[in-house]
Amino acid sequence: MTTPRCDYFEAGRCRSCALIETPIAEQLAAKDARCRALLPEVPAAVWLPIVSGGERDFRNKAKLVVGGSAGAVTLGILGPGGIGIDLRDCLIQEPAIRAAIPRIAAFLDDTGLAPYDVPRRRGELKYALVTAAPSGALMLRFVVRSEHALGTLRRALPELRAAVPEATVLSVNLLPEHVALLEGEREELLLGSSLTMELGGGGSRAGEPRADGSGVALHLRPQSFFQTNTTVARELYAQAADWVARVDPASIWDLYCGVGGFALACAPRVGEAGASGSDARRVLGVELSAEAVRSAERSAQDAGIEARFIAQDATAFALGAAPADVPELVIVNPPRRGIGAELAAWLDGCGADRVIYSSCNPESLARDLAAMPGLVVREARVFDMFPHTNHLEVMVLLERR
C-alpha cells in the first residue's frame, strides 16, 4: 500500500497524524522496536508479530471541535487564536463518519447556535462527537454550554433525524464551565440509549464466529469508553481470549473492564460445554463508570454470556478482596498512567497464577512490570491502535515465576 496523502497535513493545517508521511511498514517496525527496547527483559522469542491498524478509514470515533460562526460552523480542531479548522474530509475517520460530517455541519448551521469562542468564553456549541459501529450506525453527541442550546437541539430533533438517519443514538451533554474537558457529567438522551458494536466472536480469532456461529456485540452508552480502532479492538480481545483458552483458568477478574470487552471475550456462554454449574469459569468485571457497567451487563444478557460486572474502583476492589476470592487470572486494562504502585504490589503478591496486562502506554507498563518481580512475561504483542502517531497498545501475558 502507498502512504495516504493528507491535504490538511501538507498545508500545515493539522499535524495530529505526525507520522503520516512515514511508510506504514516503518511505523510498525519502529513501534515494535520501541516496546522491545522498553522491556529488555522480555526475550525476543516471545514477541508475537505486531498487529496493523490500517492506513486510512480506521478511526471509529471523531471528536470534532465546533468552530467558525453561527450559520457557518467548522468541524475539526482549533488553530492559533482559537480559529476553527474544518477537517470534515479527514481520511482516518471511518467512511460512515466522514459521510455524516457535512450533514451534521449543515444541521448545526440551520440551528443558528453560535460555536463556543474559547478566547472570549462565549457561544454555545463546543463539540460534536460521532462514533461509528461496524454496521454503519452512528452515535452522535453534542457538547454544549447551556440549557438554551439543549432546548434548541431538542426542538430540532426531527430535522436532526432527517439529516443523519443512520444515527441510532442522539444525545446532548452539558458542559457550562470554561475547562479543558471533553464533556460534562450531565447527559440528555434525545434518541436511543446505546450503540451496538458488533465484534465477531469472542473466544476465537478476531472477527471469526464462536463455534455456535454467533458473535459478541458490545453496547456503548454515550459516556462509555471504547477503543478507537474497531479492527484492532477485535484483535486485542481475540488475543486475550486465545491466552485464556490456552491456560483455562477457573476464575477471572477483568479490572478497569470498561464496557466489558475482555470479560465478554473470555467468559463462557450459557449452553457451552462447562458453562453451567460449579465447574463454570467465573468472570467478574470491575469498572468505576456505572454507565459502562450497565453497557457490559446488557451485552452479557443479550449474548447469553456468563459474566458479572460491578461499579467500583479497581484498585480498591482488589486491595479489599479476601485471599480466598483471588482468581486464577487477572486482566488489567488501565488508563495511560498505568495500574500504579499499590495495585502492582497487590498483583505481585496476591497469588493469581497469571495476569494479562493491556496498556496504551509502554512507559507506564515498563514501570509497573518492574514493580512485579514475582511475575514474568511469557508472551507479548504490540497493536497499532493509533496509526500515523506514536501511540500504540501493547499486551503481555504474565505468569508467576
Side-chain angles (χ1 to χ4, degrees):
M1 276 189 184
T2 59
T3 302
R5 289 185 65 251
C6 176
D7 293 337
Y8 299 120
F9 187 90
E10 292 178 2
R13 293 172 60 79
C14 176
R15 293 283 175 166
S16 298
C17 295
L19 305 179
I20 197 166
E21 294 184 328
T22 303
I24 198 69
E26 293 182 22
Q27 294 184 38
L28 295 173
K31 291 181 179 184
D32 205 42
R34 175 186 166 206
C35 288
R36 295 182 187 222
L38 285 168
L39 303 173
E41 294 185 359
V42 179
V46 309
W47 285 96
L48 299 172
I50 187 171
V51 174
S52 174
E55 295 190 67
R56 57 173 289 170
D57 302 334
F58 56 79
R59 190 173 178 90
N60 62 29
K61 184 173 183 178
K63 301 176 182 179
L64 304 167
V65 179
V66 185
S69 58
V73 305
T74 61
L75 292 178
I77 59 175
L78 293 182
I83 303 300
I85 297 176
D86 198 276
L87 300 177
R88 67 185 66 192
D89 294 319
C90 175
L91 295 178
I92 69 171
Q93 309 293 359
E94 288 194 8
I97 294 177
R98 201 160 57 245
I101 292 174
R103 290 178 276 129
I104 296 169
F107 164 78
L108 292 177
D109 285 344
D110 289 343
T111 67
L113 291 170
Y116 184 63
D117 188 320
V118 175
R120 295 174 178 80
R121 301 191 182 190
R122 66 188 185 197
E124 294 289 351
L125 300 168
K126 293 188 172 184
Y127 297 96
L129 309 177
V130 194
T131 304
S135 65
L138 300 178
M139 177 191 297
L140 173 56
R141 305 170 58 212
F142 296 109
V143 181
V144 304
R145 187 183 184 192
S146 73
E147 294 281 351
H148 167 67
L150 169 60
T152 299
L153 293 172
R154 182 181 283 124
R155 288 188 295 273
L157 180 58
E159 290 78 12
L160 177 57
R161 295 185 67 179
V164 194
E166 59 270 47
T168 58
V169 181
L170 297 168
S171 69
V172 180
N173 181 279
L174 271 79
L175 182 61
E177 300 86 2
H178 180 80
V179 289
L181 294 174
L182 183 65
E183 60 188 39
E185 294 183 2
R186 182 181 167 193
E187 190 89 16
E188 294 287 335
L189 279 167
L190 303 182
L191 175 70
S193 61
S194 64
L195 182 70
T196 302
M197 303 291 289
E198 308 88 353
L199 297 182
S204 65
R205 290 309 309 158
E208 294 177 359
R210 287 174 177 253
D212 64 357
S214 57
V216 174
L218 301 182
H219 294 284
L220 305 186
R221 295 178 68 86
Q223 292 182 296
S224 298
F225 168 80
F226 183 72
Q227 284 89 353
T228 59
N229 189 316
T230 304
T231 297
V232 176
R234 288 190 182 110
E235 288 285 352
L236 196 68
Y237 297 148
Q239 183 63 69
D242 278 356
W243 284 340
V244 167
R246 185 189 311 170
V247 301
D248 194 22
S251 52
I252 297 174
W253 285 355
D254 180 7
L255 304 181
Y256 306 96
C257 73
V259 295
F262 285 112
L264 295 169
C266 298
R269 283 179 183 257
V270 175
E272 287 183 344
S276 301
S278 60
D279 62 341
R281 179 181 298 151
R282 300 180 303 280
V283 177
L284 174 66
V286 183
E287 166 60 42
L288 185 62
S289 167
E291 282 287 282
V293 166
R294 282 194 285 272
S295 297
E297 289 174 336
R298 180 181 170 188
S299 299
Q301 182 179 13
D302 287 357
I305 291 176
E306 293 280 356
R308 294 193 304 114
F309 299 91
I310 60 173
Q312 193 172 332
D313 176 79
T315 298
F317 173 82
L319 269 55
D325 294 332
V326 174
E328 293 184 6
L329 184 145
V330 179
I331 301 171
V332 291
N333 182 27
R336 288 190 59 80
R337 66 178 180 273
I339 60 174
E342 280 190 307
L343 186 54
W346 181 87
L347 286 170
D348 192 53
C350 71
D353 296 329
R354 295 174 179 85
V355 174
I356 295 175
Y357 190 141
S358 182
S359 170
C360 61
N361 183 354
E363 282 81 10
S364 62
L365 171 64
R367 183 173 61 248
D368 289 337
L369 292 183
M372 297 186 286
L375 296 164
V376 61
V377 177
R378 294 302 184 196
E379 210 154 75
R381 194 166 205 177
V382 180
F383 300 79
D384 191 18
M385 187 74 73
F386 312 96
H388 310 313
T389 76
N390 287 309
H391 300 295
L392 54 85
E393 193 88 13
V394 56
M395 189 161 66
V396 296
L397 170 64
L398 303 162
E399 290 184 353
R400 195 137 320 260
R401 293 183 187 272

